[in-house]
Amino acid sequence: MNVIYMISLEITFILLNLYLLPKNIAIFISVLTIILLTIFNNKNKIFIAIIPILFLIRSVYTIDFSNHLIGNTVTLNMQLYKEKGLIKEINGKFPTSISYTYITNLQNGLYNITGTIKNKAIKYNNTYYTLDIDNIKEIQENTLKLYFKNKANSLLKNSNFQLKKIYYAVVLGENQYLNKQLKDIFSYIGISHLMALSGFHIGLIILIVNFIISKFSLTKRKKNILLLLFITCYYMGITHSPSLTRAYIMGVIYLLGNILYENTTLPKSLCIAYIISLFFNPTYIQNISFKLSYIAVFIISYIYPIIKSMLNSKNKILHSFIFIITIQIFLLPVTLNEFGTIQILGFISNLIAVPIGSIFITISFIGLLLENIYLGFVVYPLIKISYLIFIKTINILNKIPLMTLKINNGFKSSLFYILYIGILCFLAFYMERKKEKITHEKIYKRTHIHQ
């Protein structure tokens, strides 16, 4: 097995141990497993041993496994929006579940809050803390974030509030501005992924910037270096999410491969992004955005190419339909587990609303670029028109019955993912072997006929 895949499995196993078992037992089993895999592996032993050990150490010291915080004085790093604070860190450590607290009389922004925890409640699988506040310190956003926000505000100064909210979500990653009604509509018609910055958006930026710099007489290597610098500046200037971090890392790997004249493959890039993302924040593995993002790209990388190879047709519309259906079918167990929903007619919105939404997002990115030279007003009318068409489309689709069927509130079982990922990996392996067998048979027949 390739060393990258082996390390990915080891890291996943370590996190499962830490979440499902007592801490000391989890550490012992993880170390024992790493030692055994290192001993019985024939090559790349140093990577198979060192990287998982470093990850284990980082996870132990950066994840907050405390279950008895009531009465303790803590420092919370949090992002506040409309008096609801999303807790990013507790005493410098990542919380094991999505956690919130409520703070009144403060503006939206980032804060360090020191106080004593009075109460803890679990609602919808999230943790809510009640706090006696001792000290509040505002955290200033970085210069790039402020710069992009100012440019977006300048571009949209004459627009309505809903356009600003959607623009902030699809261009700056600020999806907290979307109200619940709008989020429910996107979820019902099956295009929530369009509102979350991910590989689609990073790829779009690379295409737009590449088109612009292609007008200059630059070598391919210099173009890729400029693209790398641009997407890095963009990434540093917007709100991060697990799906965006994955897309950024994969984009960096792709561009570095071009710069260094190295071949990169989508599956290996996905595994490297998975490892780096979890090093950055080990608790991402509990995040639904992280799960959906990586599983969807896994399906695109491993499952869909095999299904595509079995199709005899070259019809692009058919391939688009099969692509959407493949992702929907294989993500169905995840949406059932997390949300208790089944997308029945979601492929319709993906064939109609996604292309229209893509046009709106593309023009929105171009508008932000032009606003840097004070020419955003040139494309603002197009932003407004494409937005109105997009909103009209999703409102029509929202009236269609059975786009998404709600069954229950979801099971949210961690053990489910062990079985699901295992089946998915086995299926990918089995289908790949079957594809190789068919290819070998075709080659044999051709050789036999030629002889």
Side-chain angles (χ1 to χ4, degrees):
M1 182 182 290
N2 190 286
V3 66
I4 297 296
Y5 303 146
M6 180 69 77
I7 293 170
S8 299
L9 290 173
E10 286 181 278
I11 284 175
T12 305
F13 182 73
I14 288 168
L15 285 174
L16 286 173
N17 282 337
L18 289 172
Y19 273 99
L20 299 176
L21 300 174
K23 188 176 177 180
N24 292 334
I25 296 174
I27 293 171
F28 173 77
I29 292 175
S30 297
V31 171
L32 181 62
T33 303
I34 293 168
I35 291 170
L36 291 174
L37 287 173
T38 305
I39 292 170
F40 291 105
N41 198 64
N42 294 325
K43 55 184 180 178
N44 297 313
K45 292 187 176 185
I46 188 168
F47 295 109
I48 290 174
I50 291 178
I51 294 176
I53 287 293
L54 289 175
F55 178 77
L56 176 61
I57 293 169
R58 174 161 174 77
S59 298
V60 169
Y61 284 98
T62 58
I63 300 177
D64 179 31
F65 292 101
S66 305
N67 293 319
H68 307 290
L69 291 174
I70 297 175
N72 292 345
T73 299
V74 296
T75 299
L76 306 179
N77 179 291
M78 51 172 280
Q79 181 175 27
L80 188 69
Y81 180 70
K82 289 186 177 180
E83 300 186 343
K84 185 178 182 180
L86 172 63
I87 299 171
K88 295 184 173 183
E89 294 180 2
I90 301 174
N91 292 331
K93 295 185 176 183
F94 304 115
T96 53
S97 63
I98 299 173
S99 305
Y100 298 95
T101 188
Y102 288 96
I103 309 289
T104 57
N105 303 320
L106 280 180
Q107 292 183 342
N108 299 335
L110 301 172
Y111 294 91
N112 270 333
I113 310 287
T114 302
T116 304
I117 293 180
K118 290 176 59 180
N119 190 29
K120 172 184 173 182
I122 306 295
K123 298 178 184 178
Y124 308 110
N125 229 35
N126 298 329
T127 304
Y128 291 80
Y129 291 105
T130 306
L131 205 66
D132 268 344
I133 299 173
D134 298 324
N135 184 49
I136 298 174
K137 182 181 178 182
E138 186 175 4
I139 303 171
Q140 294 297 322
E141 288 188 313
N142 70 54
T143 305
L144 276 173
K145 275 192 176 184
L146 292 173
Y147 177 78
F148 283 138
K149 280 187 178 181
N150 289 335
K151 289 300 175 184
N153 287 332
S154 174
L155 176 66
L156 303 175
K157 58 187 175 184
N158 297 320
S159 64
N160 64 53
F161 187 55
Q162 189 178 57
L163 170 54
K164 286 182 179 179
K165 288 191 294 185
I166 294 178
Y167 186 96
Y168 266 63
V170 299
V171 176
L172 302 180
E174 304 276 355
N175 55 16
Q176 72 270 19
Y177 294 115
L178 297 175
N179 58 43
K180 187 178 184 301
Q181 182 183 7
L182 205 55
K183 287 181 179 179
D184 288 344
I185 291 173
F186 290 138
S187 177
Y188 174 72
I189 66 176
I191 61 167
S192 295
H193 58 280
L194 202 61
M195 295 295 107
L197 292 187
S198 61
F200 167 77
H201 301 78
I202 293 293
L204 193 59
I205 294 168
I206 291 175
L207 285 174
I208 293 170
V209 177
N210 188 52
F211 175 78
I212 294 170
I213 64 178
S214 65
K215 304 303 176 182
F216 300 92
S217 298
L218 297 170
T219 64
K220 186 178 179 181
R221 188 175 188 183
K222 287 180 179 178
K223 287 178 183 178
N224 283 300
I225 291 171
L226 282 175
L227 284 170
L228 180 58
L229 290 173
F230 189 88
I231 67 166
T232 299
C233 288
Y234 177 72
Y235 176 76
M236 297 302 295
I238 59 177
T239 300
H240 299 167
S241 66
S243 58
L244 177 67
T245 299
R246 178 209 40 90
Y248 168 70
I249 296 169
M250 292 182 73
V252 169
I253 293 168
Y254 168 74
L255 292 172
L256 283 175
N258 288 342
I259 293 166
L260 301 173
Y261 305 108
E262 293 287 341
N263 291 326
T264 58
T265 63
L266 184 58
K268 286 185 180 179
S269 297
L270 178 65
C271 286
I272 293 170
Y274 178 80
I275 293 166
I276 294 173
S277 293
L278 290 175
F279 257 100
F280 174 72
N281 186 340
T283 62
Y284 270 171
I285 201 162
Q286 288 284 86
N287 187 291
I288 182 56
S289 172
F290 180 90
K291 294 172 185 175
L292 286 172
S293 177
Y294 277 91
I295 292 171
V297 179
F298 180 91
I299 293 165
I300 294 168
S301 303
Y302 293 92
I303 306 294
Y304 173 68
I306 299 167
I307 294 174
K308 183 182 177 181
S309 69
M310 295 176 182
L311 297 174
N312 293 321
S313 174
K314 293 183 179 181
N315 189 306
K316 291 183 177 180
I317 295 175
L318 175 63
H319 280 280
S320 298
F321 177 76
I322 296 298
F323 177 78
I324 293 167
I325 292 296
T326 300
I327 295 174
Q328 278 192 213
I329 290 173
F330 283 95
L331 281 181
L332 177 60
V334 181
T335 57
L336 273 172
N337 182 67
E338 294 288 341
F339 311 112
T341 58
I342 299 175
Q343 281 192 7
I344 298 175
L345 301 176
F347 65 91
I348 296 175
S349 55
N350 277 277
L351 288 171
I352 298 172
V354 169
I356 295 170
S358 301
I359 293 170
F360 165 66
I361 294 169
T362 302
I363 299 170
S364 297
F365 278 127
I366 294 171
L368 186 64
L369 283 173
L370 290 175
E371 190 61 28
N372 286 276
I373 53 175
Y374 304 100
L375 291 176
F377 68 90
V378 174
V379 297
Y380 175 72
L382 294 176
I383 293 174
K384 192 171 181 180
I385 291 168
S386 60
Y387 159 76
L388 291 172
I389 295 171
F390 177 60
I391 289 297
K392 184 70 175 177
T393 303
I394 65 172
N395 285 334
I396 292 171
L397 291 170
N398 188 45
K399 294 176 182 178
I400 299 175
L402 297 177
M403 292 292 281
T404 297
L405 184 63
K406 182 79 171 179
I407 297 177
N408 51 50
N409 291 323
F411 308 104
K412 296 180 174 64
S413 169
S414 298
L415 292 174
F416 154 81
Y417 284 100
I418 300 173
L419 180 62
Y420 173 70
I421 297 297
I423 292 172
L424 211 58
C425 290
F426 173 79
L427 186 60
F429 176 76
Y430 173 76
M431 292 177 76
E432 183 64 32
R433 291 296 297 271
K434 188 175 181 180
K435 178 186 170 184
E436 288 176 1
K437 185 178 178 181
I438 292 170
T439 304
H440 289 156
E441 286 177 355
K442 286 180 179 179
I443 293 170
Y444 172 77
K445 286 178 181 177
R446 287 174 185 171
T447 308
H448 186 69
I449 290 169
H450 180 71
Q451 289 173 348

